[in-house]
Amino acid sequence: MAVARSYATGELAKLSGVSPRTLQFYDKIGLLKPESYSESGYRRYDDSAALRLQQILFFRELGFELSDIKTIMEKPDFDLLSAMESHREALRKKSDRLSELLVTVDKTIRRLKGEKEMEIKDYYKGFSDKEIDNMRQEAREKYGEKTVAESEARVVAMGKTKLDAVQAEFGEIYQKIVASMGKGPESKEVQEQIARWRQLMENFHHYTDEMILGLGRMYSEDSRFAAFYLKFHPEMPGFMTSAIECYIASRKK
């Protein structure tokens, strides 16, 4: 059985990150009353008060005025669980918005520093502009405009330096796969590199197993992608497809 705790004003202020003066003010306006007062007038707060303070701080973070918070929390039908779920959704949206703003700020900083702006075609090295346009259009038709836009936003936010590093790591993976081709697509050595490849792909989009399998088959069925892998080995396109099929099959066991 949990033991109920009691907090002095200074303790609760330190735990919550607000000042003792703020807690005194909340008491004065009736927003957060302490559990009790000592004979000397010192406040003591219980766990219920600490939880109420948490709710107040959530509402403040979302921009509510103190008077509105008091009105909401004193309603007879106020439900703590529903409030927490509402806070979570609001904070998630705020987080998404802040992430978008961070990308914009980073791009602006790079521009002000005179750095070359990242272009999406940098991701499609080795393909002509026409091929890039065709592949992007096919991706939109297959996965939807939103999915493609989110993926390309990740690439742009990554920046040229990181993208070059990621592409270099892909090259290292392919070389190691070629070196292990004689052991078969299902071999431990090859499967370790496919798992590494799949993890690296998450830099561009969150791929389901079905999407990864579709990509793997495209590498041997689509001449544009096959041409890319042929640069590593004449049998590389088909081998990559088989290796990825083995990888997905092993995940379903």
PDB file of all heavy atoms in Angstrom, residues 48-82:
ATOM      1  N   SER A  48      -2.847  14.715  -3.742  1.00  0.00           N
ATOM      2  CA  SER A  48      -3.971  15.214  -4.523  1.00  0.00           C
ATOM      3  C   SER A  48      -3.699  16.643  -4.997  1.00  0.00           C
ATOM      4  O   SER A  48      -3.984  17.000  -6.145  1.00  0.00           O
ATOM      5  CB  SER A  48      -5.248  15.173  -3.676  1.00  0.00           C
ATOM      6  OG  SER A  48      -6.335  15.728  -4.396  1.00  0.00           O
ATOM      7  N   ALA A  49      -3.129  17.442  -4.121  1.00  0.00           N
ATOM      8  CA  ALA A  49      -2.798  18.820  -4.486  1.00  0.00           C
ATOM      9  C   ALA A  49      -1.684  18.849  -5.520  1.00  0.00           C
ATOM     10  O   ALA A  49      -1.700  19.672  -6.451  1.00  0.00           O
ATOM     11  CB  ALA A  49      -2.382  19.594  -3.243  1.00  0.00           C
ATOM     12  N   ALA A  50      -0.707  17.935  -5.379  1.00  0.00           N
ATOM     13  CA  ALA A  50       0.387  17.863  -6.346  1.00  0.00           C
ATOM     14  C   ALA A  50      -0.144  17.497  -7.737  1.00  0.00           C
ATOM     15  O   ALA A  50       0.298  18.045  -8.755  1.00  0.00           O
ATOM     16  CB  ALA A  50       1.423  16.840  -5.890  1.00  0.00           C
ATOM     17  N   LEU A  51      -1.113  16.586  -7.770  1.00  0.00           N
ATOM     18  CA  LEU A  51      -1.707  16.188  -9.048  1.00  0.00           C
ATOM     19  C   LEU A  51      -2.524  17.334  -9.638  1.00  0.00           C
ATOM     20  O   LEU A  51      -2.510  17.553 -10.861  1.00  0.00           O
ATOM     21  CB  LEU A  51      -2.598  14.956  -8.843  1.00  0.00           C
ATOM     22  CG  LEU A  51      -3.102  14.253 -10.103  1.00  0.00           C
ATOM     23  CD1 LEU A  51      -1.938  13.815 -10.984  1.00  0.00           C
ATOM     24  CD2 LEU A  51      -3.965  13.053  -9.731  1.00  0.00           C
ATOM     25  N   ARG A  52      -3.209  18.077  -8.789  1.00  0.00           N
ATOM     26  CA  ARG A  52      -3.973  19.223  -9.269  1.00  0.00           C
ATOM     27  C   ARG A  52      -3.025  20.284  -9.843  1.00  0.00           C
ATOM     28  O   ARG A  52      -3.312  20.900 -10.864  1.00  0.00           O
ATOM     29  CB  ARG A  52      -4.812  19.813  -8.137  1.00  0.00           C
ATOM     30  CG  ARG A  52      -5.676  21.005  -8.564  1.00  0.00           C
ATOM     31  CD  ARG A  52      -6.523  21.502  -7.407  1.00  0.00           C
ATOM     32  NE  ARG A  52      -7.235  22.723  -7.758  1.00  0.00           N
ATOM     33  CZ  ARG A  52      -8.439  22.757  -8.328  1.00  0.00           C
ATOM     34  NH1 ARG A  52      -9.066  21.637  -8.622  1.00  0.00           N
ATOM     35  NH2 ARG A  52      -9.030  23.918  -8.618  1.00  0.00           N
ATOM     36  N   LEU A  53      -1.872  20.461  -9.187  1.00  0.00           N
ATOM     37  CA  LEU A  53      -0.881  21.415  -9.686  1.00  0.00           C
ATOM     38  C   LEU A  53      -0.382  20.989 -11.075  1.00  0.00           C
ATOM     39  O   LEU A  53      -0.187  21.832 -11.955  1.00  0.00           O
ATOM     40  CB  LEU A  53       0.288  21.528  -8.714  1.00  0.00           C
ATOM     41  CG  LEU A  53       1.452  22.425  -9.155  1.00  0.00           C
ATOM     42  CD1 LEU A  53       0.975  23.855  -9.411  1.00  0.00           C
ATOM     43  CD2 LEU A  53       2.565  22.411  -8.115  1.00  0.00           C
ATOM     44  N   GLN A  54      -0.188  19.693 -11.237  1.00  0.00           N
ATOM     45  CA  GLN A  54       0.236  19.193 -12.553  1.00  0.00           C
ATOM     46  C   GLN A  54      -0.773  19.592 -13.622  1.00  0.00           C
ATOM     47  O   GLN A  54      -0.411  20.037 -14.714  1.00  0.00           O
ATOM     48  CB  GLN A  54       0.379  17.672 -12.520  1.00  0.00           C
ATOM     49  CG  GLN A  54       0.848  17.080 -13.843  1.00  0.00           C
ATOM     50  CD  GLN A  54       0.695  15.577 -13.898  1.00  0.00           C
ATOM     51  OE1 GLN A  54      -0.415  15.053 -13.771  1.00  0.00           O
ATOM     52  NE2 GLN A  54       1.809  14.868 -14.071  1.00  0.00           N
ATOM     53  N   GLN A  55      -2.067  19.428 -13.315  1.00  0.00           N
ATOM     54  CA  GLN A  55      -3.111  19.798 -14.269  1.00  0.00           C
ATOM     55  C   GLN A  55      -3.080  21.299 -14.570  1.00  0.00           C
ATOM     56  O   GLN A  55      -3.224  21.720 -15.724  1.00  0.00           O
ATOM     57  CB  GLN A  55      -4.482  19.408 -13.702  1.00  0.00           C
ATOM     58  CG  GLN A  55      -4.717  17.923 -13.599  1.00  0.00           C
ATOM     59  CD  GLN A  55      -4.569  17.264 -14.954  1.00  0.00           C
ATOM     60  OE1 GLN A  55      -5.268  17.631 -15.907  1.00  0.00           O
ATOM     61  NE2 GLN A  55      -3.655  16.319 -15.063  1.00  0.00           N
ATOM     62  N   ILE A  56      -2.880  22.085 -13.548  1.00  0.00           N
ATOM     63  CA  ILE A  56      -2.804  23.538 -13.736  1.00  0.00           C
ATOM     64  C   ILE A  56      -1.665  23.893 -14.683  1.00  0.00           C
ATOM     65  O   ILE A  56      -1.821  24.705 -15.612  1.00  0.00           O
ATOM     66  CB  ILE A  56      -2.604  24.244 -12.376  1.00  0.00           C
ATOM     67  CG1 ILE A  56      -3.857  24.074 -11.495  1.00  0.00           C
ATOM     68  CG2 ILE A  56      -2.291  25.730 -12.573  1.00  0.00           C
ATOM     69  CD1 ILE A  56      -3.653  24.501 -10.050  1.00  0.00           C
ATOM     70  N   LEU A  57      -0.512  23.248 -14.479  1.00  0.00           N
ATOM     71  CA  LEU A  57       0.655  23.540 -15.315  1.00  0.00           C
ATOM     72  C   LEU A  57       0.447  23.080 -16.753  1.00  0.00           C
ATOM     73  O   LEU A  57       0.920  23.728 -17.690  1.00  0.00           O
ATOM     74  CB  LEU A  57       1.904  22.881 -14.708  1.00  0.00           C
ATOM     75  CG  LEU A  57       2.304  23.413 -13.328  1.00  0.00           C
ATOM     76  CD1 LEU A  57       3.532  22.680 -12.812  1.00  0.00           C
ATOM     77  CD2 LEU A  57       2.560  24.914 -13.376  1.00  0.00           C
ATOM     78  N   PHE A  58      -0.262  21.961 -16.938  1.00  0.00           N
ATOM     79  CA  PHE A  58      -0.599  21.519 -18.293  1.00  0.00           C
ATOM     80  C   PHE A  58      -1.465  22.564 -18.994  1.00  0.00           C
ATOM     81  O   PHE A  58      -1.223  22.933 -20.143  1.00  0.00           O
ATOM     82  CB  PHE A  58      -1.340  20.173 -18.263  1.00  0.00           C
ATOM     83  CG  PHE A  58      -0.443  18.977 -18.221  1.00  0.00           C
ATOM     84  CD1 PHE A  58      -0.694  17.943 -17.341  1.00  0.00           C
ATOM     85  CD2 PHE A  58       0.649  18.871 -19.075  1.00  0.00           C
ATOM     86  CE1 PHE A  58       0.122  16.821 -17.308  1.00  0.00           C
ATOM     87  CE2 PHE A  58       1.476  17.762 -19.045  1.00  0.00           C
ATOM     88  CZ  PHE A  58       1.212  16.731 -18.156  1.00  0.00           C
ATOM     89  N   PHE A  59      -2.489  23.025 -18.291  1.00  0.00           N
ATOM     90  CA  PHE A  59      -3.377  24.030 -18.875  1.00  0.00           C
ATOM     91  C   PHE A  59      -2.614  25.321 -19.186  1.00  0.00           C
ATOM     92  O   PHE A  59      -2.839  25.956 -20.220  1.00  0.00           O
ATOM     93  CB  PHE A  59      -4.541  24.334 -17.930  1.00  0.00           C
ATOM     94  CG  PHE A  59      -5.671  23.343 -17.998  1.00  0.00           C
ATOM     95  CD1 PHE A  59      -6.036  22.598 -16.889  1.00  0.00           C
ATOM     96  CD2 PHE A  59      -6.370  23.150 -19.178  1.00  0.00           C
ATOM     97  CE1 PHE A  59      -7.086  21.693 -16.943  1.00  0.00           C
ATOM     98  CE2 PHE A  59      -7.421  22.247 -19.248  1.00  0.00           C
ATOM     99  CZ  PHE A  59      -7.781  21.506 -18.127  1.00  0.00           C
ATOM    100  N   ARG A  60      -1.693  25.704 -18.293  1.00  0.00           N
ATOM    101  CA  ARG A  60      -0.901  26.911 -18.523  1.00  0.00           C
ATOM    102  C   ARG A  60      -0.018  26.752 -19.763  1.00  0.00           C
ATOM    103  O   ARG A  60       0.138  27.680 -20.556  1.00  0.00           O
ATOM    104  CB  ARG A  60      -0.022  27.209 -17.300  1.00  0.00           C
ATOM    105  CG  ARG A  60      -0.800  27.672 -16.077  1.00  0.00           C
ATOM    106  CD  ARG A  60      -1.427  29.037 -16.291  1.00  0.00           C
ATOM    107  NE  ARG A  60      -0.441  30.112 -16.248  1.00  0.00           N
ATOM    108  CZ  ARG A  60      -0.644  31.325 -16.756  1.00  0.00           C
ATOM    109  NH1 ARG A  60      -1.780  31.602 -17.381  1.00  0.00           N
ATOM    110  NH2 ARG A  60       0.298  32.249 -16.664  1.00  0.00           N
ATOM    111  N   GLU A  61       0.571  25.567 -19.922  1.00  0.00           N
ATOM    112  CA  GLU A  61       1.419  25.285 -21.074  1.00  0.00           C
ATOM    113  C   GLU A  61       0.635  25.414 -22.376  1.00  0.00           C
ATOM    114  O   GLU A  61       1.178  25.828 -23.411  1.00  0.00           O
ATOM    115  CB  GLU A  61       1.997  23.869 -20.960  1.00  0.00           C
ATOM    116  CG  GLU A  61       2.864  23.433 -22.132  1.00  0.00           C
ATOM    117  CD  GLU A  61       4.153  24.230 -22.263  1.00  0.00           C
ATOM    118  OE1 GLU A  61       4.623  24.782 -21.254  1.00  0.00           O
ATOM    119  OE2 GLU A  61       4.676  24.305 -23.394  1.00  0.00           O
ATOM    120  N   LEU A  62      -0.655  25.094 -22.307  1.00  0.00           N
ATOM    121  CA  LEU A  62      -1.510  25.177 -23.494  1.00  0.00           C
ATOM    122  C   LEU A  62      -2.122  26.560 -23.683  1.00  0.00           C
ATOM    123  O   LEU A  62      -2.925  26.759 -24.596  1.00  0.00           O
ATOM    124  CB  LEU A  62      -2.618  24.114 -23.411  1.00  0.00           C
ATOM    125  CG  LEU A  62      -2.107  22.663 -23.425  1.00  0.00           C
ATOM    126  CD1 LEU A  62      -3.250  21.696 -23.144  1.00  0.00           C
ATOM    127  CD2 LEU A  62      -1.459  22.330 -24.769  1.00  0.00           C
ATOM    128  N   GLY A  63      -1.757  27.512 -22.813  1.00  0.00           N
ATOM    129  CA  GLY A  63      -2.170  28.893 -23.032  1.00  0.00           C
ATOM    130  C   GLY A  63      -3.429  29.336 -22.319  1.00  0.00           C
ATOM    131  O   GLY A  63      -3.939  30.428 -22.596  1.00  0.00           O
ATOM    132  N   PHE A  64      -3.942  28.539 -21.376  1.00  0.00           N
ATOM    133  CA  PHE A  64      -5.163  28.923 -20.673  1.00  0.00           C
ATOM    134  C   PHE A  64      -4.866  29.981 -19.604  1.00  0.00           C
ATOM    135  O   PHE A  64      -3.809  29.950 -18.961  1.00  0.00           O
ATOM    136  CB  PHE A  64      -5.797  27.696 -19.994  1.00  0.00           C
ATOM    137  CG  PHE A  64      -6.519  26.778 -20.937  1.00  0.00           C
ATOM    138  CD1 PHE A  64      -5.816  25.859 -21.706  1.00  0.00           C
ATOM    139  CD2 PHE A  64      -7.905  26.827 -21.057  1.00  0.00           C
ATOM    140  CE1 PHE A  64      -6.472  25.004 -22.569  1.00  0.00           C
ATOM    141  CE2 PHE A  64      -8.572  25.972 -21.922  1.00  0.00           C
ATOM    142  CZ  PHE A  64      -7.858  25.062 -22.685  1.00  0.00           C
ATOM    143  N   GLU A  65      -5.817  30.908 -19.401  1.00  0.00           N
ATOM    144  CA  GLU A  65      -5.708  31.887 -18.322  1.00  0.00           C
ATOM    145  C   GLU A  65      -6.049  31.219 -16.994  1.00  0.00           C
ATOM    146  O   GLU A  65      -6.813  30.240 -16.952  1.00  0.00           O
ATOM    147  CB  GLU A  65      -6.673  33.050 -18.568  1.00  0.00           C
ATOM    148  CG  GLU A  65      -6.386  33.848 -19.835  1.00  0.00           C
ATOM    149  CD  GLU A  65      -5.080  34.629 -19.732  1.00  0.00           C
ATOM    150  OE1 GLU A  65      -4.659  34.920 -18.577  1.00  0.00           O
ATOM    151  OE2 GLU A  65      -4.483  34.930 -20.776  1.00  0.00           O
ATOM    152  N   LEU A  66      -5.503  31.741 -15.904  1.00  0.00           N
ATOM    153  CA  LEU A  66      -5.744  31.142 -14.595  1.00  0.00           C
ATOM    154  C   LEU A  66      -7.234  31.103 -14.245  1.00  0.00           C
ATOM    155  O   LEU A  66      -7.727  30.125 -13.679  1.00  0.00           O
ATOM    156  CB  LEU A  66      -4.976  31.917 -13.518  1.00  0.00           C
ATOM    157  CG  LEU A  66      -3.448  31.785 -13.560  1.00  0.00           C
ATOM    158  CD1 LEU A  66      -2.826  32.653 -12.468  1.00  0.00           C
ATOM    159  CD2 LEU A  66      -3.011  30.339 -13.391  1.00  0.00           C
ATOM    160  N   SER A  67      -7.954  32.162 -14.580  1.00  0.00           N
ATOM    161  CA  SER A  67      -9.389  32.206 -14.279  1.00  0.00           C
ATOM    162  C   SER A  67     -10.141  31.107 -15.028  1.00  0.00           C
ATOM    163  O   SER A  67     -11.057  30.483 -14.485  1.00  0.00           O
ATOM    164  CB  SER A  67      -9.966  33.573 -14.638  1.00  0.00           C
ATOM    165  OG  SER A  67      -9.742  33.867 -16.013  1.00  0.00           O
ATOM    166  N   ASP A  68      -9.730  30.844 -16.271  1.00  0.00           N
ATOM    167  CA  ASP A  68     -10.375  29.794 -17.056  1.00  0.00           C
ATOM    168  C   ASP A  68     -10.033  28.412 -16.504  1.00  0.00           C
ATOM    169  O   ASP A  68     -10.887  27.514 -16.470  1.00  0.00           O
ATOM    170  CB  ASP A  68      -9.945  29.881 -18.522  1.00  0.00           C
ATOM    171  CG  ASP A  68     -10.429  31.153 -19.195  1.00  0.00           C
ATOM    172  OD1 ASP A  68     -11.503  31.647 -18.799  1.00  0.00           O
ATOM    173  OD2 ASP A  68      -9.745  31.652 -20.109  1.00  0.00           O
ATOM    174  N   ILE A  69      -8.795  28.245 -16.071  1.00  0.00           N
ATOM    175  CA  ILE A  69      -8.383  26.959 -15.497  1.00  0.00           C
ATOM    176  C   ILE A  69      -9.207  26.660 -14.250  1.00  0.00           C
ATOM    177  O   ILE A  69      -9.688  25.534 -14.057  1.00  0.00           O
ATOM    178  CB  ILE A  69      -6.876  26.984 -15.139  1.00  0.00           C
ATOM    179  CG1 ILE A  69      -6.035  27.151 -16.408  1.00  0.00           C
ATOM    180  CG2 ILE A  69      -6.477  25.703 -14.413  1.00  0.00           C
ATOM    181  CD1 ILE A  69      -4.548  27.357 -16.144  1.00  0.00           C
ATOM    182  N   LYS A  70      -9.387  27.656 -13.408  1.00  0.00           N
ATOM    183  CA  LYS A  70     -10.157  27.489 -12.173  1.00  0.00           C
ATOM    184  C   LYS A  70     -11.598  27.091 -12.499  1.00  0.00           C
ATOM    185  O   LYS A  70     -12.167  26.176 -11.886  1.00  0.00           O
ATOM    186  CB  LYS A  70     -10.128  28.786 -11.373  1.00  0.00           C
ATOM    187  CG  LYS A  70     -10.726  28.685  -9.972  1.00  0.00           C
ATOM    188  CD  LYS A  70     -10.446  29.970  -9.201  1.00  0.00           C
ATOM    189  CE  LYS A  70     -10.910  29.866  -7.767  1.00  0.00           C
ATOM    190  NZ  LYS A  70     -12.370  29.770  -7.636  1.00  0.00           N
ATOM    191  N   THR A  71     -12.179  27.753 -13.495  1.00  0.00           N
ATOM    192  CA  THR A  71     -13.559  27.446 -13.887  1.00  0.00           C
ATOM    193  C   THR A  71     -13.671  26.009 -14.390  1.00  0.00           C
ATOM    194  O   THR A  71     -14.590  25.259 -14.014  1.00  0.00           O
ATOM    195  CB  THR A  71     -14.020  28.406 -14.993  1.00  0.00           C
ATOM    196  OG1 THR A  71     -13.975  29.745 -14.500  1.00  0.00           O
ATOM    197  CG2 THR A  71     -15.436  28.075 -15.442  1.00  0.00           C
ATOM    198  N   ILE A  72     -12.726  25.592 -15.243  1.00  0.00           N
ATOM    199  CA  ILE A  72     -12.750  24.238 -15.816  1.00  0.00           C
ATOM    200  C   ILE A  72     -12.603  23.175 -14.729  1.00  0.00           C
ATOM    201  O   ILE A  72     -13.358  22.204 -14.674  1.00  0.00           O
ATOM    202  CB  ILE A  72     -11.620  24.075 -16.859  1.00  0.00           C
ATOM    203  CG1 ILE A  72     -11.902  24.946 -18.084  1.00  0.00           C
ATOM    204  CG2 ILE A  72     -11.470  22.607 -17.277  1.00  0.00           C
ATOM    205  CD1 ILE A  72     -10.723  25.043 -19.053  1.00  0.00           C
ATOM    206  N   MET A  73     -11.623  23.357 -13.846  1.00  0.00           N
ATOM    207  CA  MET A  73     -11.309  22.327 -12.868  1.00  0.00           C
ATOM    208  C   MET A  73     -12.324  22.240 -11.739  1.00  0.00           C
ATOM    209  O   MET A  73     -12.376  21.232 -11.025  1.00  0.00           O
ATOM    210  CB  MET A  73      -9.905  22.557 -12.308  1.00  0.00           C
ATOM    211  CG  MET A  73      -8.814  22.416 -13.359  1.00  0.00           C
ATOM    212  SD  MET A  73      -7.130  22.517 -12.678  1.00  0.00           S
ATOM    213  CE  MET A  73      -7.031  20.982 -11.768  1.00  0.00           C
ATOM    214  N   GLU A  74     -13.143  23.268 -11.602  1.00  0.00           N
ATOM    215  CA  GLU A  74     -14.159  23.240 -10.548  1.00  0.00           C
ATOM    216  C   GLU A  74     -15.517  22.786 -11.053  1.00  0.00           C
ATOM    217  O   GLU A  74     -16.472  22.709 -10.287  1.00  0.00           O
ATOM    218  CB  GLU A  74     -14.263  24.626  -9.892  1.00  0.00           C
ATOM    219  CG  GLU A  74     -13.034  24.958  -9.047  1.00  0.00           C
ATOM    220  CD  GLU A  74     -13.126  26.295  -8.363  1.00  0.00           C
ATOM    221  OE1 GLU A  74     -14.102  27.034  -8.631  1.00  0.00           O
ATOM    222  OE2 GLU A  74     -12.230  26.612  -7.556  1.00  0.00           O
ATOM    223  N   LYS A  75     -15.602  22.455 -12.344  1.00  0.00           N
ATOM    224  CA  LYS A  75     -16.853  21.925 -12.875  1.00  0.00           C
ATOM    225  C   LYS A  75     -17.132  20.558 -12.261  1.00  0.00           C
ATOM    226  O   LYS A  75     -16.217  19.741 -12.113  1.00  0.00           O
ATOM    227  CB  LYS A  75     -16.776  21.803 -14.394  1.00  0.00           C
ATOM    228  CG  LYS A  75     -16.850  23.131 -15.132  1.00  0.00           C
ATOM    229  CD  LYS A  75     -16.829  22.916 -16.634  1.00  0.00           C
ATOM    230  CE  LYS A  75     -16.960  24.227 -17.393  1.00  0.00           C
ATOM    231  NZ  LYS A  75     -16.916  24.015 -18.874  1.00  0.00           N
ATOM    232  N   PRO A  76     -18.374  20.268 -11.929  1.00  0.00           N
ATOM    233  CA  PRO A  76     -18.714  18.968 -11.325  1.00  0.00           C
ATOM    234  C   PRO A  76     -18.360  17.779 -12.222  1.00  0.00           C
ATOM    235  O   PRO A  76     -18.061  16.693 -11.729  1.00  0.00           O
ATOM    236  CB  PRO A  76     -20.235  19.071 -11.119  1.00  0.00           C
ATOM    237  CG  PRO A  76     -20.508  20.530 -11.059  1.00  0.00           C
ATOM    238  CD  PRO A  76     -19.539  21.161 -12.012  1.00  0.00           C
ATOM    239  N   ASP A  77     -18.403  17.999 -13.539  1.00  0.00           N
ATOM    240  CA  ASP A  77     -18.145  16.890 -14.457  1.00  0.00           C
ATOM    241  C   ASP A  77     -16.680  16.821 -14.913  1.00  0.00           C
ATOM    242  O   ASP A  77     -16.351  16.102 -15.847  1.00  0.00           O
ATOM    243  CB  ASP A  77     -19.063  16.986 -15.675  1.00  0.00           C
ATOM    244  CG  ASP A  77     -18.864  18.284 -16.455  1.00  0.00           C
ATOM    245  OD1 ASP A  77     -18.157  19.188 -15.947  1.00  0.00           O
ATOM    246  OD2 ASP A  77     -19.419  18.396 -17.571  1.00  0.00           O
ATOM    247  N   PHE A  78     -15.794  17.568 -14.235  1.00  0.00           N
ATOM    248  CA  PHE A  78     -14.378  17.527 -14.620  1.00  0.00           C
ATOM    249  C   PHE A  78     -13.835  16.132 -14.372  1.00  0.00           C
ATOM    250  O   PHE A  78     -13.963  15.574 -13.277  1.00  0.00           O
ATOM    251  CB  PHE A  78     -13.571  18.547 -13.812  1.00  0.00           C
ATOM    252  CG  PHE A  78     -12.087  18.508 -14.106  1.00  0.00           C
ATOM    253  CD1 PHE A  78     -11.591  19.045 -15.282  1.00  0.00           C
ATOM    254  CD2 PHE A  78     -11.201  17.920 -13.215  1.00  0.00           C
ATOM    255  CE1 PHE A  78     -10.234  19.015 -15.565  1.00  0.00           C
ATOM    256  CE2 PHE A  78      -9.841  17.883 -13.476  1.00  0.00           C
ATOM    257  CZ  PHE A  78      -9.351  18.431 -14.663  1.00  0.00           C
ATOM    258  N   ASP A  79     -13.238  15.539 -15.418  1.00  0.00           N
ATOM    259  CA  ASP A  79     -12.713  14.177 -15.336  1.00  0.00           C
ATOM    260  C   ASP A  79     -11.206  14.209 -15.586  1.00  0.00           C
ATOM    261  O   ASP A  79     -10.763  14.637 -16.654  1.00  0.00           O
ATOM    262  CB  ASP A  79     -13.406  13.280 -16.366  1.00  0.00           C
ATOM    263  CG  ASP A  79     -12.882  11.852 -16.322  1.00  0.00           C
ATOM    264  OD1 ASP A  79     -13.168  11.146 -15.341  1.00  0.00           O
ATOM    265  OD2 ASP A  79     -12.177  11.452 -17.279  1.00  0.00           O
ATOM    266  N   LEU A  80     -10.439  13.735 -14.621  1.00  0.00           N
ATOM    267  CA  LEU A  80      -8.981  13.810 -14.706  1.00  0.00           C
ATOM    268  C   LEU A  80      -8.432  12.995 -15.871  1.00  0.00           C
ATOM    269  O   LEU A  80      -7.556  13.467 -16.616  1.00  0.00           O
ATOM    270  CB  LEU A  80      -8.355  13.332 -13.391  1.00  0.00           C
ATOM    271  CG  LEU A  80      -6.822  13.342 -13.329  1.00  0.00           C
ATOM    272  CD1 LEU A  80      -6.285  14.740 -13.598  1.00  0.00           C
ATOM    273  CD2 LEU A  80      -6.349  12.829 -11.972  1.00  0.00           C
ATOM    274  N   LEU A  81      -8.944  11.769 -16.074  1.00  0.00           N
ATOM    275  CA  LEU A  81      -8.434  10.924 -17.155  1.00  0.00           C
ATOM    276  C   LEU A  81      -8.696  11.561 -18.518  1.00  0.00           C
ATOM    277  O   LEU A  81      -7.809  11.602 -19.381  1.00  0.00           O
ATOM    278  CB  LEU A  81      -9.080   9.533 -17.093  1.00  0.00           C
ATOM    279  CG  LEU A  81      -8.673   8.553 -18.206  1.00  0.00           C
ATOM    280  CD1 LEU A  81      -7.166   8.341 -18.213  1.00  0.00           C
ATOM    281  CD2 LEU A  81      -9.400   7.221 -18.027  1.00  0.00           C
ATOM    282  N   SER A  82      -9.913  12.068 -18.698  1.00  0.00           N
ATOM    283  CA  SER A  82     -10.246  12.725 -19.969  1.00  0.00           C
ATOM    284  C   SER A  82      -9.366  13.946 -20.185  1.00  0.00           C
ATOM    285  O   SER A  82      -8.921  14.227 -21.306  1.00  0.00           O
ATOM    286  CB  SER A  82     -11.714  13.142 -19.986  1.00  0.00           C
ATOM    287  OG  SER A  82     -12.557  12.007 -19.935  1.00  0.00           O
TER     288      SER A  82
END
